[in-house]
Each structure stands twice: as C-alpha cells, then as structure tokens.
Amino acid sequence: MALAGREGRRRVVLSVDLAARKLGLRPGIPVAKAQALYPDLVLLDADPDGDRLGLEKLALWFQHRIAPIVAVDAPDGLVLDTTGADHLHGGELPMLKDMVHRMAGTAFRAKAVVADTWGAAHAIARYSRAPIAVVPSGGTASALADLPVEALRLPSTIIEGLATLGVSRIGQLAAMPRAPLALRFGPDVARRLDQAFGRIGEAIVPVRPVDPVEVSRNFAEPIGAAETIARYIGKLVPLLCQGLDERGQGVRRLDLLVHRVDSHTEAIRVATAMPVRDVKRLTRLLCEKIETIDPGFGIERMVLIASLAEPMDRRQTVSSLIAEEEADVSDLIDTLANRVGTQALYRFAPVESDLPERSFCRVPALAPEETKDWPEHWPRPTRLLARPEPVQAMAELPDQPPLFFIWRGVRRKVKCADGPERVFGEWWKNDAELTIARDYFRVEDTSGERFWLYRAGDGEHGETGSQGWFLHGIFG
C-alpha cells in the first residue's frame, strides 16, 4: 500500500508500507511509474491535514503524560523538551522505553532519541538503526558524523546539489568551508548545521490543550536570582488557583515555563496525586525545583499553566463533635512523587488470581480502595520473591512436606510444616496451564525461619509439572 499526493504539479508517492518497501518502492517516484512497476499496489490519497491533526492529538497525549513542552515535528514525528521532567519517569532511558512501549500498545512502531538539540534528535531518530538512543551531552558531533545529509531537514534541491559534489554524510558537510556553501546553496546549510550542533537555538512552540487555566508575568528587567523566581511563583500560584476555583477544578499537573532573553525556554513540572487547589502546597512543590532552572542571561517572562485539571468537589470540613477527620497524606505523597518520580511511588492491590505472582498489581499511591481482597484461607508470606528460586529438597511422600531443603548453598532442616495447599494453573488464560498444579508448604527450619515452598506438580504425574521444588516467599 502507498499514499499519493502532489509535489508541485507532479503526483508522486509520499509514503509506503513495509511490504511495498521490501519490493523496492520508495517515496518520491511518480505515481504512474509505481503503478506500472507494481500492478497490485493499493494506492490511496494522502491526507496531510488529517495527519497533522492526529500528530497534534498525540502531542497533547504526550504533554499530559511525559513533558510540558511538546511540538509537532511534521510529517511523522514529535519533539519534546524533557528537561526537568525526565526524573519523574526514572531517568532518560526508562522514559524512552516507556514511551515506545506505550506507542506499541496502540499499534504504533516508534523510535525515540534524547539529544542536546532538536536537529540532532530528529536526525538520529529517523536515520539511525537503534530504536532507542540517549546521546550523551557533548557527543552530538560524533553521533551525527556518519548520518546522511538528508537528516538535516534540508530542501531536496540542496540535497541533490550536495550529491553532485559527492557530499553524502553530515561529517563531510560540517568539515567544508562555509563561504562556498553559502554562495552556492544559500544560508540554509549553515543554519541547519548550527541548529543540529547547538550553536544557535531553535525554539520549540508547544501545542496547547483547549483553554487551559494559564497565568503569566512579564518583566521589564530580566530576573535570575532563585529568591526572585520564588517570589513571583508565589504571586502566580494564587491567580492560577483563583481561575481553577471559578471552573470548579483542581490541578493534577502544573507546568512552569520560563522564557529567557536568549529565546530559550526552561520548564519544570509538578504532579499531584489528586486534584489540588491549595496555594501553599503548589507554591512549595514548584519552589523545590527552582534549582533545576538555568536562568541564563535572565528571564523575561514566566508562564504558569494547569496542563491537566480535573473537577474538584467541595467538601464540608468534618467537625470534631461529629466524627474524626481522616488523615490527609496527599501532601506527603505529592512531595515524595515529585522528588523520586511517580513511577517509584505505588502500592499493591489485589487481583483475582490463584497464582501468587499474578494476585497483585501496582496502583497509584492514592488510588481508590479495591473491594477485592487476598484470600484468607491460607496465610501468605510478607515477602514474595521476584521469581521462584529452585531448591534441592527431599520429601517422604508426595503429599508430605520436605524433610530438608538446600537454598543458596545452605542446608536447612525442616522442624515443622503445614500443607499442602494445591494451586492449579489458569487454563482459561493459557492452554499450557491446563494440567499444571503446585503444592505449597509453609515450613519452619531449626533456626526459626519460615519459608514458603512449592513442588511443581502433584508428585505423581509428569504432565502436572517438573516435580522440582522452589522457594517462592519468606514469612516475617
């Protein structure tokens, strides 16, 4: 399948799917030639406006979940400024893996790159083989040297002209004198090289959700001291909360955009576990991140945006004469989450499953309480190993606990035990678990330590398991 559109007066192929690319079809060839060479080609009209709208929606989705500054990098990409937001996702590499995984979950195959500049990230994401890459600070030149000149976002006429000169790689182009290049091709070559290598800035104009609550402050003279930034944050937050109050909303994600005099934008983001309109809390969360702001030669404008807001119900304060007020730990949760990252702060919730490793899941720290609960007919260990570890054990009969077991090189003699608790596989999820069974035992060794062991199988029939012994948990 291919998409066709117009380039000037010509009707050409704009993009192709993987099957067409394997046959040798490439974007840019005339439609008539493509149909003549490949009679079975399914040709559809391209929809640039629809693609642009889809990218903008995807940019808003990333803006709500990843970073406050997200722009469309047409025709097939997005550019994000994740400075100050990557720590919320565990760092740059875990953030990229999470982004690509989320896209794969919605049937999109994506590549993600972190680099010092927009131009470098654009080039490496589209012309390198690695689906995920983090270019270290200062390593832009070496990362771009072997990439084709097409990666610099130059017009096709300039790329064709460079090809006639025998210049095909960015490293070759960067080593050439600037004056002859400017005389022959104009200023675009030097500008794109400087943008890619970070010699000149390139503004990222972020997309904006529909009518967010936003307040701003312009300065007659640039500011840069941390105390001054904190003072103006304290003036902007009450105005923002007033706008949220008028809409009956509370903020869940708050972005502070700091526009410097050199046209560079710094951003910090704070997130809350529940809708918040508390001036003191939001001011404190923002001020804790002032140290991540680089004021450069000065800040000329500050913008505070409630990038994610949710309805907030008014609640009557509980009177001590009627009932005790429930402890509110949301402030503590917000403080910890913005320091260590939202992914590092969670709690466990029960899942309806007989298999212990599937009987729980991670949920946000302040997620609503589940009505489900773990089974109580057999006690569960306080610590469950990430994966069951094999042990050497010996039991007298199939339904008897082991007399001893060897775990991590230490032989432990069983003093007392309880069991077995037989757990069957979930055959409705996986056909391979149709006959699987496990026999769990709670055992205590001679030193008083208690363990949770199981035998893979019923001890008699080979189709029920390997009959080997495993340690799955440790009791407190």
Side-chain angles (χ1 to χ4, degrees), residues 6-291:
R6 290 195 175 275
E7 285 187 357
R9 296 183 178 181
R10 297 194 311 160
R11 183 170 167 81
V12 298
V13 173
L14 297 180
S15 61
V16 297
D17 66 356
L18 184 60
R21 186 174 293 274
K22 289 181 178 179
L23 293 175
L25 184 62
R26 294 292 183 269
I29 71 172
V31 169
K33 181 179 179 181
Q35 290 178 319
L37 292 175
Y38 310 102
D40 295 333
L41 180 67
V42 177
L43 199 64
L44 301 175
D45 290 330
D47 183 13
D49 294 336
D51 294 341
R52 179 86 184 184
L53 181 60
L55 278 176
E56 290 178 355
K57 291 181 178 179
L58 190 61
L60 290 174
W61 187 85
F62 272 94
Q63 191 180 63
H64 287 166
R65 291 163 176 82
I66 305 297
I69 301 179
V70 184
V72 172
D73 189 13
D76 59 352
L78 300 176
V79 56
L80 296 81
D81 187 347
T82 60
T83 306
D86 49 9
H87 73 282
L88 294 174
H89 309 281
E92 292 177 341
L93 187 59
M95 177 186 66
L96 295 185
K97 292 181 178 179
D98 179 62
M99 291 164 59
V100 172
H101 178 72
R102 286 173 179 262
M103 295 294 290
T106 54
F108 283 98
R109 188 176 62 177
K111 297 174 67 177
V113 173
V114 167
D116 289 340
T117 64
W118 178 353
H122 174 99
I124 298 169
R126 288 166 172 79
Y127 291 91
S128 70
R129 295 183 178 181
I132 297 174
V134 176
V135 180
S137 182
T140 302
S142 59
L144 293 178
D146 293 332
L147 297 183
V149 293
E150 290 87 345
L152 290 176
R153 298 173 290 170
L154 293 170
S156 58
T157 54
I158 295 180
I159 294 173
E160 293 172 0
L162 291 172
T164 60
L165 297 176
V167 179
S168 61
R169 300 295 170 183
I170 295 178
Q172 294 176 270
L173 184 62
M176 296 177 67
R178 293 291 183 91
L181 288 174
L183 185 63
R184 181 164 183 170
F185 299 109
D188 285 345
V189 175
R191 178 172 58 88
R192 288 303 191 188
L193 283 172
D194 289 340
Q195 287 176 343
F197 291 114
R199 301 188 188 104
I200 61 175
E202 187 173 7
I204 300 176
V205 181
V207 296
R208 286 281 173 262
V210 179
D211 295 327
V213 180
E214 176 181 326
V215 293
S216 62
R217 182 69 177 261
N218 297 319
F219 306 108
E221 294 292 335
I223 65 172
E227 297 80 5
T228 308
I229 297 174
R231 184 167 70 251
Y232 283 104
I233 288 176
K235 293 181 179 181
L236 290 176
V237 171
L239 298 177
L240 184 85
C241 291
Q242 182 180 352
L244 291 169
D245 186 37
E246 293 173 356
R247 297 190 183 188
Q249 294 179 329
V251 68
R252 287 291 310 276
R253 193 170 290 116
L254 189 60
D255 297 328
L256 177 65
L257 305 183
V258 177
H259 299 273
R260 304 189 325 198
V261 295
D262 59 357
S263 300
H264 183 76
T265 303
E266 295 277 326
I268 56 177
R269 163 171 285 184
V270 297
T272 60
M274 57 189 300
V276 174
R277 212 163 47 222
D278 187 342
V279 174
K280 291 184 178 180
R281 182 190 301 189
L282 296 177
T283 302
R284 177 174 52 78
L285 291 175
L286 288 170
C287 289
E288 286 181 351
K289 293 192 174 183
I290 290 179
E291 61 182 14

Side-chain angles (χ1 to χ4, degrees), residues 288-461:
E288 286 181 351
K289 293 192 174 183
I290 290 179
E291 61 182 14
T292 65
I293 298 177
D294 179 12
F297 294 105
I299 297 169
E300 61 182 0
R301 187 166 186 257
M302 291 173 58
V303 182
L304 192 61
I305 306 170
S307 57
L308 179 60
E310 296 179 355
M312 185 174 179
D313 298 330
R314 298 181 182 274
R315 295 187 303 172
Q316 183 177 358
T317 303
V318 177
S319 172
S320 60
L321 299 177
I322 301 174
E324 293 185 2
E325 186 174 1
E326 295 182 1
D328 184 9
V329 297
S330 60
D331 192 6
L332 175 62
I333 296 297
D334 294 341
T335 301
L336 295 176
N338 285 281
R339 289 180 181 176
V340 303
T342 55
Q343 292 184 340
L345 202 64
Y346 55 87
R347 62 181 179 84
F348 292 112
V351 175
E352 292 181 348
S353 177
D354 287 334
L355 295 178
E357 61 268 25
R358 300 177 187 171
S359 62
F360 65 93
C361 65
R362 293 182 179 184
V363 297
L366 292 182
E369 292 291 338
E370 296 284 344
T371 56
K372 300 186 291 289
D373 200 355
W374 283 286
E376 298 180 352
H377 54 282
W378 286 93
R380 292 290 186 258
T382 55
R383 178 191 172 195
L384 199 67
L385 300 183
R387 293 184 177 181
E389 298 186 10
V391 298
Q392 298 179 19
M394 185 182 73
E396 291 182 347
L397 296 173
D399 58 349
Q400 293 294 317
L403 299 176
F404 69 89
F405 66 95
I406 302 175
W407 177 51
R408 296 182 179 178
V410 179
R411 180 187 176 98
R412 300 176 184 272
K413 185 177 180 180
V414 175
K415 179 181 178 181
C416 56
D418 190 14
E421 174 194 358
R422 179 157 293 181
V423 174
F424 294 96
E426 297 177 342
W427 51 267
W428 57 93
K429 292 183 179 179
N430 189 350
D431 292 340
E433 299 182 15
L434 184 61
T435 59
I436 294 299
R438 297 178 184 174
D439 284 343
Y440 279 90
F441 294 89
R442 286 185 299 139
V443 302
E444 180 178 337
D445 65 4
T446 53
S447 63
E449 294 184 79
R450 295 186 296 158
F451 303 91
W452 205 36
L453 299 170
Y454 76 84
R455 181 183 54 240
D458 59 5
E460 296 179 318
H461 304 91

